[in-house]
Amino acid sequence: MSDTELSTEFEIVRDSSRLDRLREARSKEILFLPDHFIGTPPVSSRDFSYTVEREFVLEGKATFENRNSRVYVRPATDPEKSSFSWRESRFPLDASYCIKGNHNIQLGEVKIIEHPLAWMLAYGVYTDIETSESSFPTFDTCDLPYSTGLKDNFRKLEKRKAISVSSPFALEWEKGYCILEPPANSKDADELVLDHQVSYPGTSVGNSRIRVTLRPDTFSYFCDARTTAFRTKPEAEKFHQIGLAGGLKDYPFTLENVLLLDEDRIYNSREKFQDSKTGRNFEFLCHELIDICAWLRFVEEKYSGRFVGRMTTYLFDHHKQIDIAQFACDPERLAELDLQIFG
């Protein structure tokens, strides 16, 4: 089998020189979260798996239906497999059930699961979640309601083994890529490092690259970073006026649940994410981190462990995340390229 496996949508890259070229083309300026971006997480370690002790219920507006919705977060009936349900349909957290819908991670008929997935990844949570509508709400504080619901409401299940890829590889699309690598050394053996880069016109975000070690205490600080809406200046100004007037009628967009920005301006920034030393607001990049890490939860549930190593990403949208989730969770496809995920 050659080092590069062709697909109709992406290439699987094993060649070390090609991987090096992807890394070397990245921005040389690397951002790190400010030192004070540390929160108090409901659980302190990713070493263990947890489930909720008691059911908790979240209420909001379903994103696609724009109707009042409830999210029921329940103790896991299976300590090694989470699930999502809507109406009479229940879907185990298995990447093979994913559907490329409207720019989200969709599991069967259940839409926009990326935010609860990121919460589950950061804290090692196994749970059964049911929604009263097919799409999850877009909360004003993103994943904070899930984290709050877990506080003093969890049960430790078992210690989890560290899992990682056997050797580096990438999925590369026409635009964008995701590289997975095992830990670089023994010091990093228990860490999950996210190295993410975005590219937008203008200066509000621009070509920004951020590197973060995903830990419960860092995630608990930025888990409330809002869903982002980057628009051209005329569109953003129009949306800003709509937001000031109370939001859209047919979509639950408000200036509280969405971070709105154009090429040169953030319209509704939150002081919490402002770094006084650099003058940079980190909320956009923090929400990017929530979105791009979520798919790794499929890998953890498939191989019964906590993922460690490094993930390097660029232009990594939700449909690409489904691609790599389905590839990484298929041991036979991995084996064809002499790859495996193991602990």
Side-chain angles (χ1 to χ4, degrees), residues 111-140:
K111 307 173 182 71
I112 317 182
I113 70 168
E114 54 268 16
H115 297 162
L117 283 187
W119 165 74
M120 293 159 71
L121 175 77
Y123 299 140
V125 178
Y126 287 77
T127 182
D128 295 324
I129 300 180
E130 181 181 354
T131 62
S132 62
E133 300 290 339
S134 67
S135 65
F136 273 78
T138 300
F139 293 118
D140 291 355

Side-chain angles (χ1 to χ4, degrees), residues 6-17:
L6 291 177
S7 168
T8 57
E9 296 180 310
F10 54 80
E11 289 186 90
I12 302 166
V13 180
R14 296 288 315 282
D15 180 73
S16 59
S17 61

Side-chain angles (χ1 to χ4, degrees), residues 258-281:
V258 171
L259 178 67
L260 178 65
L261 64 168
D262 63 27
E263 299 93 334
D264 303 305
R265 177 186 175 189
I266 301 175
Y267 287 79
N268 55 336
S269 61
R270 284 179 175 164
E271 184 65 26
K272 171 184 177 177
F273 292 96
Q274 194 70 28
D275 179 23
S276 59
K277 292 183 179 179
T278 64
R280 177 181 291 273
N281 190 286

Side-chain angles (χ1 to χ4, degrees), residues 88-130:
E88 300 301 318
S89 299
R90 181 177 182 271
F91 303 95
L93 192 55
D94 185 319
S96 65
Y97 289 100
C98 281
I99 295 172
K100 293 182 180 178
N102 185 12
H103 302 293
N104 70 100
I105 298 182
Q106 179 175 336
L107 186 71
E109 299 171 352
V110 185
K111 307 173 182 71
I112 317 182
I113 70 168
E114 54 268 16
H115 297 162
L117 283 187
W119 165 74
M120 293 159 71
L121 175 77
Y123 299 140
V125 178
Y126 287 77
T127 182
D128 295 324
I129 300 180
E130 181 181 354

Side-chain angles (χ1 to χ4, degrees), residues 220-268:
S220 67
Y221 187 92
F222 68 71
C223 71
D224 59 346
R226 291 166 291 176
T227 293
T228 60
F230 187 98
R231 298 290 186 267
T232 63
K233 190 173 294 294
E235 290 177 321
E237 290 176 350
K238 178 181 177 181
F239 271 94
H240 188 228
Q241 293 304 313
I242 291 172
L244 291 174
L248 295 172
K249 293 182 179 180
D250 58 350
Y251 186 82
F253 158 79
T254 72
L255 293 178
E256 291 302 314
N257 67 7
V258 171
L259 178 67
L260 178 65
L261 64 168
D262 63 27
E263 299 93 334
D264 303 305
R265 177 186 175 189
I266 301 175
Y267 287 79
N268 55 336

